[in-house]
Amino acid sequence: MSSTRTSRSTGARPTDDQLLDAALPVFSSHGFHNSTMSEVAGRADSTKPTLYAHFGDKDGLYERLLQREAELCRAHLFAAYAAAAGLPLSEQTRADVEAFFDYAAARSDGFELLFGARNGDAVAVRDELVATLVGQIAQRLTDFVTRRPDSRPTWREHQLAAMLVGGTVTAAQHARAEVGVDIDQACRLASDYAIAALKNLPHR
């Protein structure tokens, strides 16, 4: 018996996070349109009125779920960026790619929710997350090129950062979608590609 069922059987009210945890595999496997509040409530051992009380409606639940997953992804990647900050640029880049593949493996339902869905809400949240990552990487590239922390990225650093982030996302999507792919090898290939792209790092 799951902890959520135990909590409900003793009269404890589910938290937002417990309800979102139950909703994640539903939306990630079925998509927004084919998911129902009844299925989410059943997985949470809760009720539809409870879901509506917490999130308003299915749109509100889905939006909260997307925003939470985007923040979890961002926090995971930014922690990896900070941990690798003192390494040479090529090693930082390898660590970045590995961190993204680690996120995709550790939170496979969350990865599918953010990077597999095609509906407007998911695309908007994903685009905002990717833009944040691109901005972070572009600033790192600028700091490396100028050796001045007060410098701001030009369109060149932004474009290269967008290519690095976009390539890593696409590589992880492909590795998860293809049958029989060795994820570790796919990660190394993506890392090698990203490091090779740094040869085009613009000089000022």
Side-chain angles (χ1 to χ4, degrees), residues 11-182:
R13 295 181 179 180
T15 65
D16 281 4
D17 278 332
Q18 287 173 328
L19 295 173
L20 292 172
D21 287 343
L24 179 58
V26 176
F27 283 109
S28 67
S29 61
H30 301 322
F32 174 78
H33 294 293
N34 293 325
S35 297
T36 66
M37 296 292 265
S38 295
E39 185 172 358
V40 174
R43 279 184 171 268
D45 194 20
S46 187
T47 64
K48 287 173 63 177
T50 297
L51 289 174
Y52 288 120
H54 279 252
F55 305 107
D57 55 18
K58 190 170 89 166
D59 288 311
L61 170 60
Y62 187 61
E63 179 65 21
R64 282 283 298 280
L65 187 62
L66 285 168
Q67 292 293 346
R68 186 185 73 157
E69 194 58 42
E71 176 54 28
L72 288 170
C73 180
R74 188 202 68 80
H76 174 82
L77 296 178
F78 274 40
Y81 296 166
L87 299 175
L89 185 60
S90 61
E91 293 183 32
Q92 290 186 55
T93 302
R94 190 173 299 280
D96 294 348
V97 175
E98 290 175 352
F100 190 79
F101 271 75
D102 287 345
Y103 160 76
R107 294 193 62 81
S108 58
D109 284 342
F111 180 88
E112 181 62 28
L113 183 79
L114 287 176
F115 297 99
R118 296 285 187 268
N119 67 74
D121 287 341
V123 170
V125 172
R126 177 170 67 241
D127 286 351
E128 182 179 357
L129 171 62
V130 168
T132 301
L133 301 178
V134 168
Q136 184 79 0
I137 299 301
Q139 186 61 58
R140 177 199 290 169
L141 297 179
T142 302
D143 294 345
F144 176 80
V145 169
T146 65
R147 307 296 180 181
R148 293 171 49 196
D150 59 337
S151 297
R152 293 291 176 263
T154 68
W155 67 269
R156 292 176 179 83
E157 286 92 17
H158 272 294
Q159 181 168 323
L160 182 53
M163 292 167 62
L164 293 171
V165 174
T168 300
V169 170
T170 300
Q173 289 171 324
H174 181 269
R176 284 174 47 81
E178 293 292 320
V179 176
V181 171
D182 185 311

Side-chain angles (χ1 to χ4, degrees), residues 176-193:
R176 284 174 47 81
E178 293 292 320
V179 176
V181 171
D182 185 311
I183 298 299
D184 290 336
Q185 288 187 5
C187 181
R188 285 194 295 272
L189 181 60
S191 299
D192 291 343
Y193 170 86

